[in-house]
Amino acid sequence: MKAAIEDLPVDPAPQHPQTKGPIAVATPNPVRIRVVIADDHPLFREGISRALQLSGFIDVVAEAEDGQDALDIIRREEPDVAVLDMRMPGLDGIAVLHALVRDHTPTRVLLLSAFTDSPSVYRAIEEGASGFLTKDSKRSEVVEAVRAISRGKTVVPPEVTAGLAEEIRARRTHSAPTLSERERQVLTGMARGLSIPQIAQELFLGTSTVKTHTQRLYEKLNVSDRAAAVAEAMRRGLLE
């Protein structure tokens, strides 16, 4: 007759070779990722929340349906990652991101958007987002993005990477226009508040010549008046 289970000998707990005491067995304790989700579409927000919760390593600590509520919650909860819709009522995702970066909030941000145009992606990364995904991404991709971002990585899907690279190159070229020496002199005069006749007199040039240089400056800086030209030149570091 077979022995009953309770009659079988019990293996002794493993003993430490030095102390002869039982060896402590470490149990896995994975680090949980705390997340806040903000999206004004309840079904989409609930779908993302469910996918993250089912991952087994993510806790959704709060949800928000507009930007201001999201910002308040993030400031209070300080989650590891915030998943934000790029376009929301009140404050949009970019505005929330900007406020978090300005205030040195440690929360990393994953922006979701229905728009995949290069300027949107560039702006998201420029403002300090740790990741950008389209809203038609698979739920598993959102989960993996949250995991990667929580570890300090930046996530941008391959389908928008090429466009982002082009946008960076275009902006780099656009942000540093090549000015002739005369154009720089005219720009400096504008910054000093001189009128076109005064600039012409100072540079020993005709008024029409200074007007030509001025028009070329406007074109290179993509502006339409002198105040905007000076402001744009200062933004791009063309004026000291």
Side-chain angles (χ1 to χ4, degrees):
M1 179 183 296
K2 293 183 179 179
I5 293 177
E6 54 267 24
D7 293 333
L8 295 175
V10 178
D11 291 335
Q15 301 290 306
H16 192 284
Q18 299 286 334
T19 64
K20 304 302 182 181
I23 299 175
V25 179
T27 57
N29 184 27
V31 176
R32 309 287 296 183
I33 303 171
R34 302 174 68 253
V35 174
V36 165
I37 303 172
D39 193 293
D40 59 322
H41 296 91
L43 290 178
F44 183 84
R45 187 176 68 243
E46 290 167 9
I48 293 293
S49 177
R50 180 174 174 78
L52 295 177
Q53 296 275 27
L54 289 175
S55 70
F57 56 87
I58 297 173
D59 295 322
V60 177
V61 297
E63 298 179 20
E65 61 182 17
D66 63 69
Q68 185 59 60
D69 192 23
L71 182 58
D72 293 341
I73 291 172
I74 294 168
R75 283 171 170 166
R76 182 179 71 245
E77 298 290 341
E78 291 194 352
D80 301 301
V81 179
V83 180
L84 307 178
D85 184 6
M86 200 158 178
R87 297 197 175 185
M88 292 183 289
L91 297 177
D92 62 15
I94 290 289
V96 174
L97 169 63
H98 182 81
L100 295 176
V101 172
R102 180 198 62 205
D103 297 342
H104 305 288
T105 306
T107 300
R108 297 183 175 95
V109 173
L110 170 63
L111 284 173
L112 302 180
S113 177
F115 304 93
T116 59
D117 56 291
S118 299
S120 294
V121 183
Y122 181 92
R123 188 181 177 206
I125 302 302
E126 182 183 42
E127 286 287 347
S130 295
F132 178 98
L133 287 180
T134 61
K135 295 191 78 170
D136 58 359
S137 298
K138 296 178 180 178
R139 297 291 183 260
S140 59
E141 292 174 332
V142 178
V143 171
E144 287 307 310
V146 168
R147 186 207 295 267
I149 287 171
S150 72
R151 295 175 176 176
K153 297 181 180 179
T154 300
V155 176
V156 179
E159 60 267 26
V160 300
T161 302
L164 177 60
E166 289 294 331
E167 185 70 19
I168 291 172
R169 282 193 289 269
R171 288 181 180 242
R172 183 176 297 165
T173 301
H174 182 68
S175 65
T178 302
L179 303 183
S180 68
E181 184 59 30
R182 283 301 190 195
E183 288 167 351
R184 288 185 179 278
Q185 290 172 339
V186 170
L187 179 61
T188 300
M190 288 181 178
R192 291 165 52 203
L194 300 181
S195 65
I196 286 180
Q198 289 172 325
I199 294 173
Q201 183 178 11
E202 188 172 272
L203 298 178
F204 302 102
L205 298 173
T207 301
S208 60
T209 302
V210 173
K211 287 182 178 179
T212 299
H213 288 310
T214 300
Q215 188 57 42
R216 287 175 181 168
L217 269 173
Y218 290 172
E219 292 172 358
K220 289 182 177 182
L221 297 175
N222 194 30
V223 297
S224 57
D225 60 67
R226 60 186 293 148
V230 172
E232 186 66 12
M234 292 178 67
R235 188 183 73 81
R236 300 189 191 188
L238 298 174
L239 283 171
E240 296 182 358

